[in-house]
Amino acid sequence: MADTTRTNAIKRIKALRKIIDNYRYEYHVNDKSTMSEAAADSLKHELAKLEQQFPDLITANSPSQRVAGRPLEKFRSVPHKFRMLSLNDVFNNKELSSWYDRVRKLLNDGSDFPVANIRTDDDDAIFFTDVKMDGLACSLIYVDGELNVALTRGDGSVGEDITQNVRTLDSIPLKLFGSNTKYHTGRTEVRGEIVMYKSDFIKLNKQQSFKGLETFKNPRNTAAGTMRQLDSSLVAARNLNFHGYELLRDDPGDVATYSDAYRDLAKLGIKTNHLAKDFSSLDDVKLYIEEWGSKREGLDFMTDGFVVKVNNRKLYQRLGVVGKAPRGAVAFKYPAEEATTKLVDIVIQVGRTGVATPVAVMLPVDVSGSTVQHASLHNQDEIERLGVMIGDTVIIQKAGDIIPKVVRVLTELRDGSEKAYSMKKALDDHDLDFTRATGEVAWRASNLNSPQVLKRGLAHFAAKGALDIDGLGAKNVEALVDADLVKDYADIYKLTYDNLIALDRFAELSTNNLIEAIAIKKKPSLSKFLFGLGIRHVGAQTALDLANR
């Protein structure tokens, strides 16, 4: 009898998993519902009870396994097999055309783009476009069709393992849909964006308000912040969605075009954007982007533009990479949201290479869903170009919806209380000496060994893109330098328990944690070390190139 019960359970579990997986596929990929949510929940409950009765029948990809695990102590770092690149931005049709001209020149030495050379057997589209979603970039690695690990972008070369959090998202299949395809054998990597829909964001903030808790700023930050929670039960409680935009295989020939990639992603149970489209004319691409510029506010997710790619992936790869960006794609950014505020002060910030940057201090203002209080004025020439005075009303823009920028001074609102600002005088009053080389816009500190420059440089040395030393942020760096414990970067390796515990900022746990974190990073990769040194003109990619040579 026991065998019969077990045999029946095996059949029933298999059938339940199939119908639940199909419900998930239709709901998340095809935007169709094959049954009510209550009915689906009832089937999931039956499956969970059967698996509880026969725990040896539980598999990692069962729909019942979308549960939160025990809170993690920290995320582990994992190298990306294929770098997760960023995209260069274009802000108008002229810049988009210039990108296309560069692509043509690189591929064909300046001649007309030969459509015949980039056609595949079933696809003659030159360009592939997709709306650029505003969320958290994520890479899903499937092995033999089953979800193995999920990583954040990180610095593009190394990401953080957020698998436990990703497994709670209904929109991500634990096992690729379908069977017996090339994607169900070996390694298949799916890249996409984890987002919170605007409608879900509104519901979440209503819940927060009802509980008397602080509300969230915007859907993008909420999605990114949620996925970086160490407690996956918090992730499971919020409704996040994954949209795929890339399909990678060890054999590049497995996916001929981006059009193919999107078709195959949908077949595998991965939701893609309904706005994704291919084109054979750049003019048509421009019209499409312009059309959605006026309609994008009606979308249920945040977006700041469209991604435009060379559709043929062989040509895309042939175009190569510059820095952290591929030549074969660009992000077309819509004009950024603007707001006005009052500029109350300008302060000098000294960077890790000694460059003095004037920073505007403003009355807090909300721009694109986040509070802005500071914006870089870049250099003396920019201050003179803007004609900015302390006390001015200024227009603030978030370039690319990210970086705050002063774009204009409203001189007609001046009332005579404004004060002129001289960067030269501000630098003369500073406790460092600055010089400006002929032909350069930057004022640079003469004494690069000063405590102020050391603080900025050491914070960079310990930051994520460099050595990534936990606990050595700007505040702790400042405390160490001010206490005369650190006079150059090497001094951090001489710090002892007795040194740290004597400082106000450190208790026993934080002291031990920092000493351990420094010890762990005593043997960084050469590229990270070179980048961490803060050498002028040596960014992350140049450091990597130098290390590889």
Side-chain angles (χ1 to χ4, degrees):
M1 184 69 181
D3 287 342
T4 304
T5 304
R6 181 180 171 79
T7 301
N8 290 341
I10 291 172
K11 290 180 181 177
R12 184 67 176 172
I13 285 172
K14 185 177 180 181
L16 285 168
R17 287 175 182 167
K18 186 174 181 180
I19 194 171
I20 293 168
D21 281 340
N22 188 65
Y23 166 77
R24 189 212 65 82
Y25 175 77
E26 293 294 343
Y27 183 84
H28 288 285
V29 180
N30 296 330
D31 291 322
K32 293 193 302 184
S33 188
T34 55
M35 67 184 82
S36 69
E37 191 174 342
D41 286 343
S42 179
L43 293 177
K44 292 174 189 174
H45 181 64
E46 182 188 349
L47 174 62
K49 285 181 71 175
L50 280 171
E51 291 181 336
Q52 190 176 11
Q53 188 179 353
F54 299 97
D56 60 307
L57 298 180
I58 298 174
T59 60
N61 57 46
S62 171
S64 67
Q65 297 307 293
R66 294 188 184 277
V67 293
R70 189 176 61 190
L72 302 170
E73 291 184 9
K74 60 185 249 182
F75 294 114
R76 71 184 180 104
S77 296
V78 179
H80 290 293
K81 183 168 185 178
F82 307 108
R83 282 176 65 201
M84 288 190 78
L85 301 169
S86 305
L87 294 176
N88 286 327
D89 297 334
V90 297
F91 292 92
N92 51 54
N93 285 340
K94 184 178 179 182
E95 291 181 359
L96 184 59
S97 294
S98 295
W99 164 76
Y100 176 50
D101 290 341
R102 288 193 299 274
V103 165
R104 280 195 307 186
K105 187 174 182 181
L106 284 164
L107 290 175
N108 304 290
D109 198 27
S111 61
D112 287 340
F113 205 113
V115 175
N117 286 357
I118 71 164
R119 282 181 176 156
T120 58
D121 291 340
D122 59 350
D123 202 323
D124 63 355
I126 295 177
F127 307 102
F128 187 83
T129 65
D130 188 13
V131 67
K132 187 175 179 296
M133 302 187 86
D134 217 359
L136 178 77
C138 180
S139 172
L140 311 174
I141 292 103
Y142 290 84
V143 177
D144 294 336
E146 296 193 8
L147 181 63
N148 180 258
V149 67
L151 304 175
T152 63
R153 180 195 300 276
D155 65 0
S157 298
V158 178
E160 289 182 319
D161 182 348
I162 55 168
T163 312
Q164 184 166 294
N165 287 348
V166 157
R167 292 182 69 84
T168 69
L169 305 189
D170 280 331
S171 58
I172 292 177
L174 301 178
K175 183 177 182 180
L176 293 175
F177 203 71
S179 59
N180 300 324
T181 73
K182 58 191 171 189
Y183 303 111
H184 292 83
T185 303
R187 185 184 189 280
T188 298
E189 184 170 350
V190 175
R191 290 180 176 176
E193 202 84 3
I194 295 174
V195 298
M196 176 173 278
Y197 294 152
K198 293 176 185 176
S199 52
D200 290 322
F201 177 73
I202 292 168
K203 289 177 190 174
L204 177 62
N205 268 347
K206 283 181 179 177
Q207 292 170 5
Q208 292 291 105
S209 296
F210 181 74
K211 294 174 184 176
L213 300 173
E214 188 178 351
T215 56
F216 298 100
K217 283 285 184 185
N218 58 56
R220 184 211 176 279
N221 291 352
T222 307
T226 298
M227 290 309 298
R228 297 205 75 260
Q229 294 288 329
L230 294 170
D231 185 351
S232 54
S233 65
L234 295 173
V235 183
R238 295 176 188 170
N239 196 16
L240 298 176
N241 284 271
F242 178 85
H243 288 244
Y245 57 67
E246 176 66 288
L247 187 56
L248 296 168
R249 295 276 292 171
D250 289 341
D251 181 357
D254 283 349
V255 191
T257 68
Y258 281 102
S259 303
D260 293 338
Y262 271 58
R263 279 194 292 267
D264 290 347
L265 282 169
K267 292 175 185 174
L268 295 171
I270 304 291
K271 186 167 190 169
T272 56
N273 288 318
H274 67 281
L275 298 182
K277 202 170 180 181
D278 51 32
F279 295 93
S280 56
S281 156
L282 189 66
D283 287 337
D284 289 340
V285 173
K286 291 174 181 176
L287 288 172
Y288 189 63
I289 292 173
E290 183 182 346
E291 174 193 345
W292 277 100
S294 57
K295 291 162 55 176
R296 65 186 173 120
E297 289 303 318
L299 296 170
D300 199 20
F301 51 81
M302 291 183 71
T303 174
D304 58 3
F306 269 78
V307 174
V308 183
K309 299 178 178 179
V310 171
N311 192 34
N312 183 294
R313 288 168 63 126
K314 278 187 180 176
L315 293 187
Y316 186 95
Q317 293 300 324
R318 219 175 86 196
L319 286 164
V321 174
V322 177
K324 290 186 176 182
R327 287 194 181 96
V330 285
F332 186 104
K333 296 289 187 75
Y334 290 118
E337 188 178 325
E338 295 181 340
T340 59
T341 186
K342 200 133 188 168
L343 190 150
V344 296
D345 200 4
I346 298 175
V347 298
I348 298 295
Q349 189 176 76
V350 181
R352 59 185 170 85
T353 60
V355 171
T357 302
V359 176
V361 181
M362 303 165 295
L363 294 178
V365 62
D366 187 77
V367 189
S368 296
S370 62
T371 303
V372 172
Q373 196 169 357
H374 299 93
S376 171
L377 290 168
H378 302 294
N379 51 57
Q380 181 178 326
D381 290 0
E382 179 68 359
I383 289 174
E384 291 171 359
R385 186 189 72 78
L386 288 167
V388 68
M389 298 174 72
I390 293 172
D392 270 335
T393 298
V394 294
I395 295 176
I396 300 299
Q397 182 186 81
K398 285 180 79 175
D401 284 358
I402 296 173
I403 303 165
K405 180 181 180 182
V406 176
V407 293
R408 186 181 156 202
V409 175
L410 297 175
T411 54
E412 56 268 43
L413 293 179
R414 285 178 176 166
D415 60 11
S417 64
E418 295 79 17
K419 296 176 182 176
Y421 176 81
S422 166
M423 186 165 173
K424 180 71 169 66
K425 184 178 183 307
L427 293 175
D428 288 343
D429 292 342
H430 205 278
D431 56 0
L432 293 175
D433 293 326
F434 294 90
T435 57
R436 181 176 178 176
T438 304
E440 288 195 5
V441 296
W443 285 91
R444 202 175 296 276
S446 305
N447 181 12
L448 293 179
N449 296 318
S450 70
Q452 199 171 345
V453 176
L454 174 60
K455 288 174 185 177
R456 299 284 295 175
L458 185 54
H460 170 78
F461 184 74
K464 268 203 166 178
L467 270 69
D468 191 15
I469 301 174
D470 282 340
L472 201 54
K475 293 290 185 184
N476 282 348
V477 164
E478 193 169 331
L480 294 173
V481 174
D482 287 345
D484 227 19
L485 291 174
V486 174
K487 295 179 180 177
D488 62 39
Y489 298 178
D491 284 344
I492 65 171
Y493 299 104
K494 301 174 187 174
L495 292 172
T496 66
Y497 177 89
D498 291 338
N499 290 152
L500 297 178
I501 201 70
L503 301 180
D504 289 341
R505 288 189 59 82
F506 289 90
E508 185 172 354
L509 181 61
S510 55
T511 296
N512 287 327
N513 285 346
L514 180 54
I515 288 173
E516 183 184 356
I518 292 171
I520 289 170
K521 297 300 171 71
K522 277 188 175 178
K523 293 184 179 180
S525 68
L526 180 57
S527 62
K528 298 282 187 186
F529 179 72
L530 289 173
F531 176 59
L533 290 177
I535 303 167
R536 192 177 168 200
H537 302 311
V538 179
Q541 182 59 40
T542 302
L544 187 63
D545 292 341
L546 289 170
N548 288 338
R549 282 295 187 99

